[in-house]
Amino acid sequence: MDLHHPVVALCAEGMQAEAAGAAERASELFRRAWQAAEAADPVDDYAACVAAHYVARHQPTPRDTLHWNLVCLERADRVGDERVRGFYPSLHLNLARAYRELDEPDRAREHFARAAERLDDLPEGPYAQWIRIAVADGLRWSGAVRDRPSEPLLARLLAEFCARGDLKSLGLLLPAYLTDLGGEDDRVRLVTALHQVHASRWLPPEAGADVGRVIAALGRV
């Protein structure tokens, strides 16, 4: 985003206020950003999309939050070019969370799935990883993705690593586990991570046997 754009600059200032704990000041700045985008001639839909995203963060009710997230999506659709392409995963994730909070699981499931479809629009990096983890969690919650048959074994294995403080094994496994969207590529990624842990030779024999059982349950690559 262009931080020199006046609307984007107001949103950036609002985020600084939010980080400092000044919620009312942040909300005021986000509202000013929205008003500035709407006052442009012609209306700046890109800037309005950005502002609506931040306005949604400071709403008193889940229904109000949903409203502003829908406004954000509408404005992104109006823009319809590369500037907003990377917005869609988080747009649909925010809508899914709003519907989840409003106890509308079918609508939540729909938007978790749409967020998953747009994940490739994000450049690789920590932000994309964070969004993918949130989407994977939402898909499991909504029943759009079912636990793999290996889940009980894998959950127990991860608990054992946590109990032992085995940060190296956890570091290899958790990214693949937490970002599992239920597809074949995700299964392969998870099995590959398990093979890496198994091949490292730092595990005690009983833990190595447990890893082998999880690999067998998942199916070999």
Side-chain angles (χ1 to χ4, degrees):
M1 289 188 289
D2 179 7
L3 293 178
H4 297 292
H5 190 294
V7 171
V8 175
L10 281 169
C11 291
E13 188 179 351
M15 285 300 292
Q16 291 176 350
E18 187 178 285
E24 290 186 11
R25 173 64 174 163
S27 181
E28 175 194 352
L29 288 163
F30 297 146
R31 279 283 184 180
R32 284 171 53 191
W34 168 259
Q35 291 164 358
E38 286 289 272
D41 187 14
V43 170
D44 189 338
D45 285 315
Y46 172 78
C49 172
V50 173
H53 165 76
Y54 289 108
V55 171
R57 294 167 65 93
H58 291 266
Q59 294 303 306
T61 70
R63 187 62 64 184
D64 291 327
T65 300
L66 173 63
H67 165 75
W68 281 102
N69 281 315
L70 287 169
V71 169
C72 186
L73 178 61
E74 177 190 3
R75 294 309 177 95
D77 287 343
R78 288 188 192 180
V79 175
D81 60 30
E82 288 298 310
R83 290 177 295 166
V84 297
R85 182 178 177 186
F87 291 1
Y88 281 95
S90 65
L91 279 174
H92 288 295
L93 176 61
N94 289 337
L95 284 164
R97 286 171 164 171
Y99 282 120
R100 179 176 180 175
E101 193 168 353
L102 288 165
D103 196 25
E104 297 186 39
D106 290 341
R107 300 301 302 275
R109 184 183 304 111
E110 172 192 346
H111 285 282
F112 280 127
R114 292 178 70 180
E117 291 169 359
R118 300 301 297 261
L119 286 172
D120 288 343
D121 291 336
L122 292 172
E124 291 186 11
Y127 176 74
Q129 187 87 333
W130 172 64
I131 293 291
R132 188 180 180 94
I133 288 171
V135 171
D137 180 69
L139 290 173
R140 286 191 293 271
W141 166 84
S142 69
V145 169
R146 295 186 178 182
D147 287 341
R148 298 184 187 277
S150 61
E151 178 63 24
L153 287 172
L154 185 52
R156 188 181 70 186
L157 181 66
L158 290 168
E160 291 173 359
F161 290 159
C162 287
R164 286 207 311 272
D166 187 348
L167 299 182
K168 292 183 291 185
S169 295
L170 288 169
L172 284 171
L173 280 179
L174 281 177
Y177 176 71
L178 294 175
T179 61
D180 183 2
L181 301 175
E184 176 61 13
D185 288 347
D186 298 292
R187 186 194 70 82
V188 170
R189 191 178 302 112
L190 188 52
V191 173
T192 299
L194 285 159
H195 277 302
Q196 290 171 341
V197 171
H198 195 270
S200 65
R201 300 185 182 279
W202 62 56
L203 296 176
E206 64 275 12
D210 287 341
V211 172
R213 282 190 282 271
V214 177
I215 291 173
L218 276 166
R220 296 182 182 274
V221 176

